[in-house]
Every structure is written in structure tokens, then in C-alpha cells.
């Protein structure tokens, strides 16, 4: 079996992260949320295609629920571990990031530095890893194989 090397993952994620370099904080947030929604759609599609779930029953489920269902179905453990780490970042960024950033700006009356941005950056790194691995795994039909 052909494997994906850690170097290949690192290089591809680094290349993908360059697209965020010139974005404002709000643009970065929007890009993150849009890509996270596309990934979530793809993951729900795995439940439908690989495990026979009905789209109508899962389309409104959360990313966390989708992750737990994929894990219960036996999807690759390495992918699930990365996805589980991502779910926490995604939930924080979706529900608390903008509010916390605004509050910090109000309190500090200045640039918030990396106090909140680090969460968005770490979440983005995980997101880009997941997208790359999702695409590569789908291309090679490796969803049930162990790396």
C-alpha cells in the first residue's frame, strides 16, 4: 500500500496555509468556516455512501455527532483522532471566537495579538490537514484500511 509521508502532509499543509497569509481576521474566519462546512458535508456523505445512513436523518446533525458516528462505524482511527481534535477547535471558533475577540479588543483597546488568533490558526492547520487527508484517502479508497 502506498502511504502518505509526514513530510508530504507537512509540505501540502504549508502550501495550503499560504492562501491565508494576506487575509484579514474576518476573511480568515470566513474561509475557515466555509471550508469546515465543506468538510462536514463530505464526512456526512461518507456516512451515506459507506455505511448506508439516510441523508435526511443526518443532514442537520452536528460535526461532533458525525465524528462519533464515523468512529462507531469503524472509520480509520488515525483520521478519527485528528477529526476529534478538530471538532473542539471548530466549535470554539464557530461559537465563541468572534465574541471573545471583540471583548478582548474592547478591554485592551488595542490589538489583541495572539490571545485569540492562536485558536483560529491551530484550527486552520488541523482543518487543512483533514481536507488534504480526506481528499487523498477518498482518491485511494483507504477509509477502512489502517495506516
Amino acid at each position: 500500500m502506498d502511504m502518505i509521508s509526514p513530510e508530504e502532509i507537512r509540505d501540502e499543509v504549508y502550501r495550503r496555509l499560504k492562501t491565508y497569509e494576506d487575509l484579514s481576521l474576518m476573511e480568515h474566519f470566513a474561509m475557515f468556516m466555509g471550508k469546515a462546512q465543506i468538510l462536514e458535508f463530505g464526512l456526512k456523505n461518507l456516512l451515506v455512501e459507506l455505511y448506508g445512513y439516510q441523508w435526511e436523518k443526518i443532514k442537520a446533525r452536528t460535526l461532533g455527532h458525525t465524528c462519533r458516528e464515523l468512529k462507531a462505524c469503524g472509520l480509520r482511527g488515525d483520521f478519527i483522532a485528528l477529526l476529534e481534535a478538530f471538532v473542539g477547535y471548530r466549535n470554539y471558533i464557530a461559537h465563541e471566537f468572534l465574541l471573545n475577540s471583540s471583548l478582548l479588543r474592547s478591554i485592551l483597546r488595542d490589538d489583541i495579538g495572539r490571545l485569540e488568533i492562536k485558536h483560529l490558526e491551530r484550527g486552520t492547520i488541523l482543518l487543512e490537514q483533514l481536507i488534504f487527508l480526506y481528499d487523498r484517502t477518498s482518491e485511494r479508497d483507504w477509509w477502512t484500511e489502517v495506516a
Side-chain angles (χ1 to χ4, degrees), residues 109-123:
R109 298 176 195 257
D110 203 68
D111 183 26
I112 62 172
R114 297 196 35 81
L115 291 172
E116 283 296 306
I117 296 169
K118 67 182 178 184
H119 298 293
L120 182 58
E121 290 172 343
R122 290 176 184 162

Side-chain angles (χ1 to χ4, degrees), residues 65-123:
H65 181 269
T66 301
C67 179
R68 288 188 298 277
E69 290 295 318
L70 288 167
K71 184 177 184 177
C73 288
L75 194 78
R76 300 179 64 102
D78 52 354
F79 187 85
I80 291 295
L82 190 61
L83 181 58
E84 287 173 331
F86 173 71
V87 168
Y89 279 100
R90 184 261 174 222
N91 288 345
Y92 178 82
I93 292 165
H95 301 292
E96 298 179 44
F97 176 76
L98 290 179
L99 175 63
N100 289 348
S101 296
S102 295
L103 287 172
L104 280 171
R105 273 199 177 80
S106 173
I107 293 167
L108 298 176
R109 298 176 195 257
D110 203 68
D111 183 26
I112 62 172
R114 297 196 35 81
L115 291 172
E116 283 296 306
I117 296 169
K118 67 182 178 184
H119 298 293
L120 182 58
E121 290 172 343
R122 290 176 184 162

Side-chain angles (χ1 to χ4, degrees), residues 5-6 24 29 37 45 74 78 80 84 103 119 122 133 139 145:
S5 71
S24 69
F29 171 82
Q37 287 179 316
N45 202 40
D78 52 354
I80 291 295
E84 287 173 331
L103 287 172
H119 298 293
R122 290 176 184 162
L133 293 171
E139 289 168 6
E145 294 182 29

Side-chain angles (χ1 to χ4, degrees), residues 1-9 76 78 132-133 136-137 140 142 145-147:
M1 173 172 82
D2 186 20
M3 294 183 59
I4 305 170
S5 71
E7 294 79 20
E8 184 179 2
I9 296 168
R76 300 179 64 102
D78 52 354
F132 171 67
L133 293 171
R136 187 61 58 90
T137 303
R140 297 173 181 182
W142 286 347
E145 294 182 29
V146 178

Side-chain angles (χ1 to χ4, degrees), residues 11-23:
D11 292 347
E12 180 60 19
V13 169
Y14 179 75
R15 185 189 68 74
R16 290 167 176 256
L17 291 175
K18 288 183 179 188
T19 63
Y20 294 86
E21 286 179 357
D22 295 327
L23 300 180

